[in-house]
Amino acid sequence: MKSNSIKVIAPATVSNVGPGFDIMGFAINTPVEEMTVRISDKPGIRILKISGDKSGLPFDIKKNTAAVAVTKMLASLKLKIGVEIEIRKMIISGSGLGSSAASAVAAPVALNELLDRPFTKQELMEFALEGEKVASGSIHADNVAPCLFGGFILIRGYKPMDIIPLSYPKKLFCTVLHPQFAIKTSDARKLIRKNYPLKEVVAQAGNAGGLIAGLLKSDYDLIRRSMNDLIAEPARAKLIPGFYKIKEAALNAGAVGCSISGSGPAVFAFCTSENDAEKIGRVMKKISSEFVKKNMIYISNINSTGPRVIG
Ligand code: HSE
């Protein structure tokens, strides 16, 4: 162990990506989660500080995603050391941008570095997923996997976990609109039906396959045609005031697809250049402002690195 303290950042993520409910996600450069993890002489895991979030995130180590992930990691190593965690939330919880996943990823990544990497990234997934589960009430990897690995990720299957990094057009930009209110993933998941007619399942599979093919071939028109979601978007659109108007305005302004980021309220749009992303962001913000007072815009290309040590 070179040092007993480390600071890492972990990226925000857009999950579901239109037709990829629970199976697709990508990382973006901004916002990020910042976390400091320290090994201490006093045994036990402690959350010392959470700043930047007013939602009352838990300090209880059985409920905090970062602490749960670290607890699982230490149990797996059969290590009884002290770990102190300070979290600076810049990805607002309940935004739909993978806030809980970023905490669940940043903590085990940081501790893994401090312990001289006993685990591979693939192995860290298990701990991060346990952390994510306490926040969202279910095991879904479409935020955790892109946050941990960076890039654009397909979760081909869950049992066993089969993580497929996808290539994507290097000029693909993403505009994210974040209307400033919170949606709990566990609540938004209750809106998803348990069964779907065969016709819809076939259409969803066609669109998911089309999106992947479009990404691999850098075929923007195919991406645009494939960005149709029959599962999450129709069920959750009502949670986001003005959603269909925002989407229509983004598409009219040249977006290559637009949908809800994760369980919302953030809405993302694919764009083919940074200029377009900025222009489309202004349009989306203008419409959303008619319904919600405060709106943030993030412009980013796809983050290919995942978490980074910054101190
Ligand atoms: N796939 C998940 C959902 C992502 O839509 O419920 C939310 O974090």
Side-chain angles (χ1 to χ4, degrees):
M1 195 194 314
K2 293 164 224 99
S3 157
N4 71 344
S5 172
I6 196 169
K7 192 184 273 190
V8 300
I9 52 171
T13 44
V14 170
S15 58
N16 295 339
V17 201
F21 180 69
D22 274 0
I23 60 164
M24 275 188 235
F26 61 89
I28 54 178
N29 291 322
T30 172
V32 293
E33 164 107 348
E34 189 182 286
M35 190 176 288
T36 304
V37 174
R38 214 168 290 117
I39 293 180
S40 96
D41 296 334
K42 196 171 142 201
I45 297 162
R46 286 173 297 282
I47 307 285
L48 296 187
K49 189 174 167 190
I50 304 174
S51 61
D53 189 278
K54 296 188 187 86
S55 69
L57 287 171
F59 283 73
D60 180 342
I61 63 161
K62 290 201 171 70
K63 293 186 183 149
N64 182 288
T65 61
V68 170
V70 162
T71 304
K72 295 283 169 190
M73 185 171 168
L74 291 181
S76 162
L77 287 169
K78 298 188 172 55
L79 254 186
K80 289 204 169 78
I81 55 171
V83 176
E84 295 173 346
I85 300 173
E86 290 182 22
I87 305 170
R88 187 168 163 227
K89 297 290 313 173
M90 286 177 278
I91 312 169
I92 307 294
S93 59
S95 59
L97 292 171
S99 177
S100 53
S103 284
V105 165
V109 163
L111 186 58
N112 200 44
E113 290 295 320
L114 288 174
L115 298 175
D116 296 331
R117 297 193 194 163
F119 295 108
T120 62
K121 273 197 175 182
Q122 193 74 35
E123 289 165 339
L124 291 177
M125 270 287 290
E126 187 193 324
F127 312 128
L129 282 174
E130 287 296 331
E132 168 77 324
K133 190 176 162 195
V134 288
S136 65
S138 69
I139 292 264
H140 57 91
D142 48 340
N143 290 108
V144 163
C147 181
L148 182 58
F149 294 100
F152 208 122
I153 300 288
L154 165 71
I155 298 119
R156 204 275 316 151
Y158 276 80
K159 279 184 183 168
M161 186 67 75
D162 195 359
I163 304 284
I164 317 287
L166 299 173
S167 53
Y168 48 86
K170 289 295 164 258
K171 285 186 185 153
L172 188 64
F173 266 81
C174 175
T175 299
V176 173
L177 163 78
H178 175 210
Q180 306 269 288
F181 66 95
I183 292 177
K184 273 177 88 172
T185 298
S186 48
D187 292 342
R189 288 187 82 81
K190 290 183 192 139
L191 298 175
I192 309 289
R193 279 184 279 151
K194 295 282 173 281
N195 294 294
Y196 286 81
L198 182 61
K199 244 166 94 176
E200 289 178 24
V201 174
V202 170
Q204 187 86 355
N207 284 324
L211 174 56
I212 292 167
L215 290 166
L216 300 183
K217 290 161 61 142
S218 294
D219 182 337
Y220 288 117
D221 196 50
L222 180 52
I223 294 173
R224 184 183 292 112
R225 296 201 304 281
S226 307
M227 279 292 291
N228 281 314
D229 173 26
L230 301 172
I231 294 181
E233 188 182 293
R236 293 171 170 172
K238 62 179 177 227
L239 300 176
I240 304 164
F243 171 74
Y244 285 113
K245 286 191 172 172
I246 297 164
K247 177 170 173 161
E248 191 187 353
L251 295 175
N252 286 340
V256 190
C258 174
S259 190
I260 302 170
S261 175
S263 52
V267 175
F268 76 99
F270 281 137
C271 312
T272 54
S273 71
E274 191 166 12
N275 264 350
D276 258 22
E278 278 164 5
K279 181 185 79 185
I280 290 162
R282 284 193 292 275
V283 170
M284 292 167 79
K285 186 173 180 178
K286 185 163 176 273
I287 306 279
S288 187
S289 306
E290 292 170 18
F291 303 92
V292 177
K293 229 187 200 165
K294 276 178 136 185
N295 293 275
M296 276 292 293
I297 291 288
Y298 301 103
I299 307 287
S300 174
N301 50 6
I302 290 171
N303 168 301
S304 58
T305 51
R308 269 194 310 120
V309 176
I310 59 161

